Amino acid sequence: MENQTDVHEFILLGLTPDHRERYTLFVMFLLLYLASLLGNGAILAVAIAEPRLHTPMYFFLGNLSCLDICYSTVTVPKMLSGFLTEHQAISFIGCLVQLHFFYFLGSGEGILLGVMAFDRYMAICNPLRYTVIMNKLTCLLLTGATWAAGFFHALMHTVLTSRLWFCGPNHVQHFFCDIKPLLKLACSSTTLNLSLLNIVTGSIALGAFFLTLLSYFYIISFLFFKVQSWESCWKAFSTCASHLMVVAIMYIPVISNYLLASAGESAEREMVITILYSAVTPVLNPLIYTLRNQEVKFALKKIFSRKHLFGRI
């Protein structure tokens, strides 16, 4: 069935109409984007290049960095170009592609954080069985399932949005093609779209969030009642603290934005919340993991010293 739309392109209104603010925001988000690329790229390179980091934890961390690079690239470059142009146009197909990859990578990252929490639970609470259970095949299956779940979740929203009838206004009150601003412009019923946004997207976010909380509840209980050495406890808490910080920054804004989704919510509120997990979180992830993780810092120093040595030769 062909799409019955009369609209062939959308105009993204962006974060602000004020030209003076646009240049300031352009510099700020450009720096954030470059920091995201450099930070996540460094972690991905270290996870691949350093043999000591060829473990499940760093395999998942490398996937998280890859997701963060792609996730921020879906929205930030388009937003940056919008700061420099009067009208930010995007084709109907281009809008659907952007929407698809945003939900594909975003939901994939949310699920991956839950998988990483389960990995930490197995490593701390079942250390003797950890290498048996979290073997290479298991890690590949978990990661493949994460990417596949994100893809099909996004495909559902993309197909349903493509079947809507857009007959009139084409000005999207957002800096990218998100679902809720598009639903405001649809001339056909959006009940099914909003219901699935509430139920499916909300369930994915809540399910991964509760899996993470449950994993850390068992970890904390195990540390308090089973581990006698405070040094071992502190090392385990330090390893988990970085993950918990990422979880809080990622899940809370997502649940706030999608669990009680409504097409009539404030566009400004939606954009601010979306910026937190689409532009800010990808920058914070490498900072949190590198600043609180001695193994990553040691691997980075080792690689940089090796390059410096080769440069002198």
Side-chain angles (χ1 to χ4, degrees):
M1 179 179 177
E2 293 184 1
N3 180 51
Q4 294 180 313
T5 183
D6 295 324
V7 173
H8 299 289
E9 70 172 14
F10 293 102
I11 306 297
L12 302 175
L13 298 182
L15 289 174
T16 176
D18 192 322
H19 291 281
R20 291 171 298 181
E21 292 180 359
R22 285 185 176 186
Y23 294 115
T24 304
L25 290 173
F26 173 82
V27 174
M28 182 178 72
F29 283 106
L30 177 61
L31 293 175
L32 284 174
Y33 181 57
L34 292 176
S36 172
L37 293 181
L38 292 172
N40 287 293
I43 289 182
L44 185 58
V46 166
I48 295 172
E50 180 54 50
R52 287 182 57 190
L53 301 185
H54 291 174
T55 63
M57 176 181 173
Y58 294 103
F59 174 73
F60 295 132
L61 181 56
N63 273 270
L64 180 65
S65 293
C66 182
L67 281 168
D68 277 335
I69 291 171
C70 299
Y71 192 39
S72 58
T73 301
V74 169
T75 56
V76 177
K78 191 71 175 175
M79 178 173 62
L80 290 174
S81 64
F83 290 136
L84 304 178
T85 58
E86 187 66 29
H87 294 290
Q88 178 77 346
I90 185 170
S91 67
F92 184 80
I93 298 299
C95 189
L96 291 178
V97 169
Q98 188 181 49
L99 181 152
H100 175 81
F101 279 98
F102 180 79
Y103 283 89
F104 167 31
L105 299 165
S107 56
E109 180 166 341
I111 297 169
L112 182 61
L113 289 174
V115 171
M116 292 174 71
F118 174 74
D119 172 69
R120 290 299 85 210
Y121 161 74
M122 292 302 301
I124 295 171
C125 301
N126 296 282
L128 298 179
R129 301 172 59 197
Y130 177 67
T131 54
V132 177
I133 297 174
M134 299 301 292
N135 53 49
K136 287 184 179 181
L137 179 60
T138 303
C139 292
L140 288 172
L141 288 174
L142 286 173
T143 306
T146 295
W147 287 80
F151 177 83
F152 286 109
H153 168 243
L155 186 64
M156 174 195 71
H157 286 306
T158 306
V159 171
L160 288 174
T161 305
S162 70
R163 297 173 70 87
L164 292 174
W165 181 28
F166 296 94
C167 63
N170 67 339
H171 288 73
V172 181
Q173 291 188 329
H174 216 295
F175 59 87
F176 79 103
C177 286
D178 199 2
I179 290 179
K180 287 192 284 182
L182 288 176
L183 296 184
K184 295 177 184 179
L185 304 178
C187 301
S188 52
S189 175
T190 60
T191 303
L192 178 61
N193 302 70
L194 278 173
S195 297
L196 290 175
L197 195 62
N198 273 310
I199 297 169
V200 180
T201 306
S203 297
I204 289 174
L206 273 180
F209 186 50
F210 283 133
L211 174 62
T212 303
L213 291 181
L214 185 64
S215 297
Y216 282 105
F217 172 78
Y218 279 112
I219 289 172
I220 293 170
S221 300
F222 177 83
L223 292 175
F224 271 113
F225 296 111
K226 298 292 180 67
V227 178
Q228 303 298 324
S229 169
W230 280 106
E231 185 179 349
S232 300
C233 281
W234 176 251
K235 184 179 179 181
F237 273 123
S238 179
T239 302
C240 297
S242 57
H243 189 195
L244 285 172
M245 291 173 69
V246 173
V247 165
I249 296 168
M250 178 70 182
Y251 283 128
I252 293 174
V254 169
I255 291 172
S256 172
N257 215 18
Y258 291 109
L259 188 59
L260 300 174
S262 168
E265 288 181 358
S266 165
E268 290 77 12
R269 174 186 173 275
E270 289 176 11
M271 285 191 286
V272 170
I273 293 175
T274 304
I275 285 171
L276 287 177
Y277 57 82
S278 65
V280 177
T281 302
V283 180
L284 295 179
N285 284 353
L287 289 175
I288 290 170
Y289 278 109
T290 53
L291 289 176
R292 298 189 60 87
N293 193 303
Q294 296 298 325
E295 290 179 311
V296 174
K297 288 194 287 186
F298 177 79
L300 283 170
K301 290 177 182 178
K302 183 178 177 182
I303 289 175
F304 285 131
S305 62
R306 189 186 304 162
K307 288 183 177 180
H308 179 69
L309 179 62
F310 285 145
R312 292 180 64 181
I313 294 173

